Amino acid sequence: MVITALTLTDFRSYASATLPVTAGTVVLHGPNGAGKTNLLEALSLFTPGKGLRGATAPEMGRREPGETGGRAWAVMAVLTDGEDEVRLGTGVQAAGAARRIVRIDGETAQPGRLLDHLRPIWATPEQDRLFSDARADRLKFFDRLVFAADPAHAAAVSAYEKALRERLRLLTDGAEGQPADPLWLDALEIRLGEAGAAAATARAAALKVLQAEIDARGDRPFPQADLGLAGEAETLAAEGVSDADIAAAIREGMARSRARDAGAGRSLFGPHRSDLTALHREKNRPAAEGSSGEQKALVLNLILAQLARLSGQKAAPILLLDEAPAHLDARRRAALFDEIEALGLQAFLTGTESELFAPLRGRAEFVRVEGGTLTAEG
């Protein structure tokens, strides 16, 4: 299925806007601050989580000058496979509401059900130095790739993070003079072991498949990477250790680290501390040592490998690239556009200058974004 229309109501800078989609690739161009990224963010909400900006629901509501809080807002997408049509919607019904609602064909649904229809994958300028930035950002990026192919992974990571917060709250309350209940800690660590083992196993399996896809891509304009996962649980999973034994290792490690975590005020052990590593194969050096352009090219190759893996599935993969041409030379820009077309992807690309997308003229739909209006240019 492909998106044929996107409608925004009181979302970010848009009071009301509709973007009809008639092509596989859509180029959104216009000056900085025009609202291009807002459109990508709206599309990124058709998946579990907070979207590409990681914003809260109240932050997404439109504000007029003088308004202190965001308005109630809604985003709707229409999808079709040429015969059947599906309408996906999300938003909040009251200003300031913290929890957004998801609807599929008008019926309230769990956010995870969105993955039955769409699998958005995105890259933003913040990821142009992904391999030299914070470890947590790399792991979050990789987890999104994992659950785009394995929706159960999102539930495992969510369950793990919830139990982790509860455990830390219990430990830090105890550090302030209220002894932590060891039975409650035991119960939370059992949950952490089960969810953490499931997440680690899914990560290890995804890494193996993605590495094979990258290797199969051969000599392309985008550099190849040798990927790794630095984490005890993921290492055990890669070695074929059972989920039950991985869960036991996580529980034991959590129990040993209670005093240290209480003193530090943060959890210093567990799969949330794992890291995605990458070696630039041609240069035989860590990706973190590369330029912004090299790191972006490595990230794009990883994303394209994932999209190739997802192609042909019922739930449509869509690519969202914010400031797509940034840090890419003309050869790699043209190669990126060719790869998107070859994979038969639906893609939404943003940039300030339409000339940077010149190789896509006649192959993509160009939309001028300015002053809260969307002008289709064909």
Side-chain angles (χ1 to χ4, degrees):
M1 302 192 84
V2 296
I3 296 172
T4 58
L6 176 70
T7 301
L8 313 179
T9 303
D10 280 329
F11 181 82
R12 293 292 190 181
S13 57
Y14 294 94
S16 179
T18 297
L19 175 66
V21 181
T22 59
T25 299
V26 179
V27 173
L28 303 166
H29 67 93
N32 291 326
K36 303 182 299 294
T37 305
N38 293 342
L39 292 167
L40 296 193
E41 182 181 26
L43 289 163
S44 74
L45 296 177
F46 295 114
T47 190
K50 295 182 177 180
L52 62 79
R53 280 193 174 108
T56 63
E59 291 173 326
M60 299 179 197
R62 187 172 68 92
R63 292 180 174 87
E64 289 285 1
E67 288 184 331
T68 57
R71 300 182 178 190
W73 57 269
V75 175
M76 187 185 75
V78 180
L79 288 73
T80 184
D81 60 3
E83 296 182 0
D84 298 323
E85 185 176 273
V86 175
R87 293 175 179 266
L88 307 181
T90 188
V92 297
Q93 293 180 312
R99 183 178 180 181
R100 65 184 177 97
I101 297 168
V102 169
R103 288 198 172 96
I104 300 175
D105 285 333
E107 299 292 330
T108 303
Q110 293 297 316
R113 290 288 312 281
L114 292 167
L115 295 172
D116 294 341
H117 305 280
L118 276 183
R119 305 285 175 91
I121 295 175
W122 60 81
T124 66
E126 287 73 21
Q127 293 162 350
D128 287 356
R129 296 195 63 82
L130 179 74
F131 295 107
S132 55
D133 284 344
R135 171 201 55 78
D137 292 337
R138 281 188 296 280
L139 187 61
K140 187 179 295 185
F141 168 81
F142 186 68
D143 276 337
R144 284 200 306 271
L145 292 184
V146 176
F147 75 65
D150 179 8
H153 181 63
V157 171
S158 178
Y160 178 87
E161 291 177 345
K162 180 180 178 182
L164 194 70
R165 289 191 298 270
E166 292 177 8
R167 174 182 177 272
L168 185 61
R169 186 162 52 246
L170 192 62
L171 287 172
T172 53
D173 285 347
E176 294 174 359
Q178 301 175 13
D181 183 345
L183 294 178
W184 192 359
L185 285 172
D186 287 344
L188 287 171
E189 286 164 1
I190 289 172
R191 286 161 52 190
L192 284 163
E194 293 172 349
T201 299
R203 288 170 183 164
L207 187 86
K208 183 178 179 180
V209 173
L210 285 171
Q211 185 66 68
E213 190 68 48
I214 288 172
D215 294 345
R217 290 170 62 76
D219 185 18
R220 303 285 181 99
F222 296 100
Q224 291 179 301
D226 292 318
L227 304 174
L229 281 169
E232 180 180 330
E234 288 79 10
T235 299
L236 292 173
E239 293 172 351
V241 175
S242 69
D243 277 12
D245 288 341
I246 297 173
I250 293 172
R251 289 197 307 271
E252 291 166 6
M254 288 283 183
R256 289 193 303 268
S257 67
R258 287 177 183 178
R260 184 178 61 166
D261 291 352
R266 56 196 178 103
S267 301
L268 299 172
F269 172 84
H272 63 287
R273 304 282 299 173
S274 300
D275 194 7
L276 172 68
T277 64
L279 183 74
H280 191 300
R281 186 178 298 174
E282 183 182 357
K283 296 189 175 182
N284 192 32
R285 69 180 188 186
E289 297 177 3
S291 67
S292 295
E294 286 177 326
Q295 291 192 47
K296 179 164 187 170
L298 286 165
V299 168
L300 286 174
N301 203 22
L302 178 55
I303 287 174
L304 290 168
Q306 173 69 324
L307 290 165
R309 175 190 179 198
L310 294 176
S311 63
Q313 293 190 9
K314 179 182 177 182
I318 62 168
L319 176 60
L320 312 175
L321 290 184
D322 197 18
E323 295 298 332
H327 299 131
L328 293 180
D329 56 31
R331 181 176 70 97
R332 281 186 175 152
R333 283 200 304 273
L336 172 63
F337 304 151
D338 288 343
E339 293 259 9
I340 291 170
E341 189 172 42
L343 288 170
L345 294 175
Q346 186 161 44
F348 295 80
L349 318 177
T350 73
T352 54
E353 303 296 332
S354 63
E355 290 77 11
L356 295 173
F357 299 93
L360 284 173
R361 287 289 181 187
R363 301 156 60 190
E365 181 175 1
F366 281 66
V367 178
R368 175 75 178 177
V369 183
E370 189 169 12
T373 62
L374 307 176
T375 305
E377 299 176 341

